[in-house]
Amino acid sequence: MPAGHGLRSRTRDLFSRPFRKKGTIPLTTYLRTYRIGDYVDIKVNGAVHKGMPHKFYHGRTGQVWNVTKRAIGVEVNKQVGNRIIKKRIHVRIEHVQPSRCNEDFKLRKKTNDQLKAEAKARGEVISTKRQPEGPKPGFMVEGATIETVTPIPYDVVNDLKGGY
C-alpha cells in the first residue's frame, strides 16, 4: 500500500513520549507563566491531542504574540519557496516550553551594564563590544632533539614465501 499523506503521517517516533517520561504530565507545565514577547520552543507532547501543532512546527522556536486561557499564540518563521513567512499559530501550553535561545544575550547584557556602571563610577569610558579571539601567542620549542628516520627496504621475495 502507498504511504498516507495525513495530518500526522510519519510521526510515529516524532510524537512518541521519551523513555521514562510517559504517564502524567508534571504540574509545572501548567503553572508556567508566558508573556507576550517570550521565546518558546514548540515540542509536541503526544499524550495531549488537543491543541497539537502540525509536525512541521515540532522543534521550532517562536515568539509569543497572544496568551489565552489554555493556549498561547506563537509566531514562527516558515520558509516557503524563496521567502520566509511569519506564521501565527495557537498551541496549547502542553506543547510549548520556555526557550533558552537568548540566555547568553541576557547574561551578556547584565554583565555589560554592570561593567558600564563600574566604569562610570571610576570616570572612564569602556567598550563592551565583543572581540574575536585572536591568534595564539608564539613560543620557542626548547630541548627538542632531531632524529632522522630512514625507511627499511621492502623484501618482495621473503614476503611471498610467508617468512618474516
Side-chain angles (χ1 to χ4, degrees):
M1 283 179 70
H5 299 284
L7 201 67
R8 289 186 61 175
S9 63
R10 299 165 185 86
T11 60
R12 180 178 184 159
D13 296 326
L14 192 72
F15 288 173
S16 65
R17 302 287 290 130
F19 178 61
R20 283 175 21 199
K21 294 277 188 284
K22 295 170 174 67
T24 53
I25 298 161
L27 281 176
T28 50
T29 307
Y30 299 101
L31 296 173
R32 277 204 187 100
T33 306
Y34 295 100
R35 291 185 172 84
I36 292 170
D38 288 354
Y39 284 96
V40 289
D41 295 329
I42 298 171
K43 186 179 176 184
V44 176
N45 186 337
V48 182
H49 299 159
K50 278 189 171 184
M52 186 183 278
H54 189 262
K55 65 184 174 225
F56 168 83
Y57 300 104
H58 179 76
R60 305 275 168 165
T61 301
Q63 209 168 0
V64 177
W65 66 273
N66 187 22
V67 179
T68 62
K69 190 162 60 171
R70 291 185 189 86
I72 59 170
V74 183
E75 197 172 59
V76 186
N77 288 336
K78 182 176 184 179
Q79 187 173 343
V80 181
N82 62 344
R83 65 201 193 279
I84 294 173
I85 304 172
K86 281 186 184 274
K87 303 282 280 187
R88 287 185 157 190
I89 57 168
H90 277 93
V91 184
R92 247 176 117 104
I93 54 167
E94 291 96 333
H95 306 296
V96 294
Q97 61 188 32
S99 181
R100 299 181 62 196
C101 66
N102 61 347
E103 262 183 11
D104 291 340
F105 168 71
K106 285 180 178 177
L107 185 69
R108 200 174 77 242
K109 193 174 166 184
K110 194 175 177 181
T111 53
N112 284 354
D113 289 343
Q114 193 177 355
L115 289 169
K116 282 178 188 173
E118 289 171 4
K120 192 174 182 180
R122 290 193 305 265
E124 298 173 3
V125 178
I126 59 162
S127 174
T128 54
K129 287 184 179 179
R130 292 175 288 172
Q131 296 297 325
E133 192 178 325
K136 292 179 182 175
F139 61 94
M140 295 294 290
V141 179
E142 295 174 7
T145 56
I146 298 170
E147 184 182 342
T148 309
V149 181
T150 54
I152 301 168
Y154 182 64
D155 193 3
V156 181
V157 181
N158 280 341
D159 193 39
L160 291 173
K161 291 179 186 173
Y164 291 100

